Structures are given as structure tokens and as C-alpha cells.
Amino acid sequence: MAQILGGYFTSHVPAIGGAIVRGEQTTPYWKPFFNGLVPVREWLTEQQPDVAVVFYNDHGLNFFLDKMPTFAVGSAPGYLNADEGWGLPVYKPFAGHPALSWHIIETLVAEEFDVTTCQEMLVDHAMSIPFELSWPDAEAWPVRVVPIAINTVQHPLPSARRCLALGQAVFKALSAWGGDERILVIGTGGLSHQLDGARAGFINKTYDHFCMDSLAPHPDALTQNSVREIVEQAGTQGVEILNWIAARGALGPSTREIHRNYHIPISNTAAATMVLQTSSAPA
Ligand code: DHB
Ligand code: FE
């Protein structure tokens, strides 16, 4: 039987890629952030996942403003990273898991989520940065992926309640999957940040802590705000917390926090990393 091991949540700021390429992980600016990844790598080494279901948002690479699915699920045998890049080479492709993708898609549609299915899909820094942070020296990624893209870019965006429900439907799909995979759930983006406009540089530590404190025990608390209120609290791009909320839903009702790191700022973003472990994971 497949096991859902837990969730890894992280910011996906593209400048992180530049720091990796320049080898700046231990400089005063970057150290407090990269140090927060050490326990994540240790946990991944213990848990040995072989599949990752990744909730993220596309930043105009695969979907542009002319065609913007609210929820899109990749079902490709592989995904190329074709980000414009802030320094990170775009050489490492991601292997897909079409059978699991289609199983998730079947379940989501049966649960009345009208998802867009993508048999071809490019992925951007919202996938590559979290993977580089987790497996920095890997020649090939050790997991196959099912990418689930949520529109956090062009309004109207899905509500937080709907994103949690999407994740819960993915949990239902994973729980009914007949394979023996060791499944990692990843949520990328956030926390508070605003890249442009009058509030460019906006960060909200209080709201970020509320999100991190609620994520494992009370994810419903994160669904009480409308998208507009989340934008007010977290910034126009901080609404990427929707990816975290969906990923939390995919872990099922019971999970506990085992690691957290929060550092302000990385580029324009309040950078956060968390690991939640489910009770079905080996202790
Ligand atoms: C930054 C953050 C993001 O989430 C992103 O997608 C691009 C840039 C930043 O803080 O620079
Ligand atoms: Fe982003």
C-alpha cells in the first residue's frame, strides 16, 4: 500500500537559484535560510520518498494570461524546467508518473473538481528551487512527480476553502491508490511578499506566523479569509499560501510539525520552510 509520508513546504524565490550557482549558501545573507534546509534533507534521507505530488503556481511560463486554468494537473511522462532562470541552469528534467496522475485526475473529476489535464507541461522555479534545496547534489531527482498547478496569478483566484478541498480530494485519491509508493507532498511559494505596486516589499510577520502555526493542527483557520483578505494580509504574491493550503489538505486529517524555519527577507519574500509528518510515516 502506498504511504503518504508527509509534507515539505517552502518558498520558491528564484534568487535562491542564483545563490546556489554562486555557492553563497554560507554567506551572512543566505546562511539563515539555507541552514533551515538541513533538517529537511535529513528527514528526506530517512523517509526515502519515491514520488512527489507538488502543489505550486506557474508564473507565466507554461500558462500565460491568455489561458489560465484554475487547477491544472500534469499527466506527462516527464516535465522540462524551462524557467527564464535567475542563475540556475535549466538542465534537470523531472520524471512524471502518468498512472498516478490519471488516478488523481479521475478522483478529482469524480469529486467535482473540473481540472485541466496537461499531457505536456513545462515547470518553472516553483518546482526547481524546492527540488534543488532538497536534493542539492542529485544528478537526477530521486522522485517522480505529479505537478498540480493552482492559479495564484490572475484573478479571479480559487478560494482558500476550495484549495483545501482540492488537497483533501487528492488525499482521497492517494489513500485509494493501489501502488506501494512512498509519497511526499510538496507545497511551494509564499510566505508574505509583494513584488510590485505601492506595497512592493510588503511583508507581514504576524500573518505568516498565524499561517505556520495553523498549518498542521487547524488548516481550516486558513480558509476563513477571502482571497482579497489574504492579498491584504500576505501581499499580492503572498497569496501563494493557497499552494500550501492545498498541500496540507493532501496530508489527511492528522499530521504534526517536525521542522520550521522562517527568515526575513530573501529577496522580497518572507522565506519559510516547514516539514509536517503523517502518522503513517516511519517515526
Ligand atoms: C520572488 C518571489 C517569488 O515567489 C517569485 O515567484 C519570484 C520572485 C522574490 O521575492 O524575488
Ligand atoms: Fe512565486
Side-chain angles (χ1 to χ4, degrees):
M1 213 186 107
Q3 277 180 299
I4 304 171
L5 305 170
Y8 156 50
F9 302 76
T10 185
S11 307
H12 59 219
V13 179
I16 296 165
I20 291 170
V21 169
R22 293 189 299 274
E24 293 175 354
Q25 292 91 332
T26 57
T27 62
Y29 182 87
W30 289 102
K31 198 170 189 278
F33 171 71
F34 278 96
N35 276 358
L37 272 300
V38 175
V40 177
R41 292 179 199 140
E42 287 170 357
W43 182 76
L44 290 171
T45 302
E46 273 167 30
Q47 298 293 329
Q48 293 288 312
D50 46 30
V51 174
V53 177
V54 188
F55 294 87
Y56 73 107
N57 60 292
D58 183 85
H59 295 75
L61 175 80
N62 190 76
F63 307 116
F64 199 59
L65 303 182
D66 57 337
K67 298 181 193 71
M68 183 57 75
T70 301
F71 299 127
V73 184
S75 58
Y79 305 89
L80 291 180
N81 167 21
D83 210 358
E84 79 286 358
W86 287 13
L88 200 61
V90 291
Y91 59 91
K92 242 186 259 182
F94 296 80
H97 191 328
L100 181 58
S101 288
W102 283 112
H103 170 75
I104 290 172
I105 291 164
E106 296 276 356
T107 306
L108 288 176
V109 174
E111 294 287 314
E112 302 182 349
F113 287 89
D114 305 317
V115 296
T116 300
T117 56
C118 301
Q119 299 187 51
E120 287 182 1
M121 201 172 185
L122 296 171
V123 293
D124 69 11
H125 63 269
M127 289 267 296
S128 57
I129 296 291
F131 276 63
E132 285 287 348
L133 288 170
S134 310
W135 296 284
D137 301 316
E139 279 186 18
W141 305 125
V143 292
R144 291 188 283 166
V145 302
V146 176
I148 303 182
I150 297 177
N151 171 25
T152 68
V153 172
Q154 174 159 264
H155 292 258
L157 311 184
S159 69
R161 190 184 311 278
R162 189 71 176 146
C163 291
L164 184 62
L166 176 84
Q168 287 165 339
V170 171
F171 174 71
K172 188 170 178 181
L174 296 178
S175 304
W177 174 244
D180 59 0
E181 287 85 345
R182 300 170 62 80
I183 300 172
L184 170 69
V185 175
I186 303 181
T188 93
L191 289 178
S192 60
H193 62 301
Q194 171 142 348
L195 300 180
D196 47 22
R199 293 200 308 165
F202 173 79
I203 277 175
N204 184 345
K205 203 171 163 180
T206 307
Y207 181 71
D208 290 339
H209 280 283
F210 161 71
C211 290
M212 292 186 290
D213 291 345
S214 304
L215 193 68
H218 312 297
D220 283 332
L222 303 176
T223 67
Q224 303 307 308
N225 291 321
S226 68
V227 162
R228 193 185 172 90
E229 288 164 346
I230 295 175
V231 168
E232 276 168 14
Q233 290 292 323
T236 41
Q237 282 76 32
V239 75
E240 289 174 347
I241 186 70
L242 292 176
N243 305 328
W244 286 44
I245 294 170
R248 168 64 187 87
L251 296 178
S254 157
T255 183
R256 71 190 165 90
E257 176 178 336
I258 61 166
H259 171 64
R260 170 193 305 201
N261 188 52
Y262 182 75
H263 177 67
I264 297 173
I266 288 297
S267 185
N268 292 293
T269 297
T273 304
M274 290 184 77
V275 175
L276 309 188
Q277 181 167 306
T278 64
S279 49
S280 59

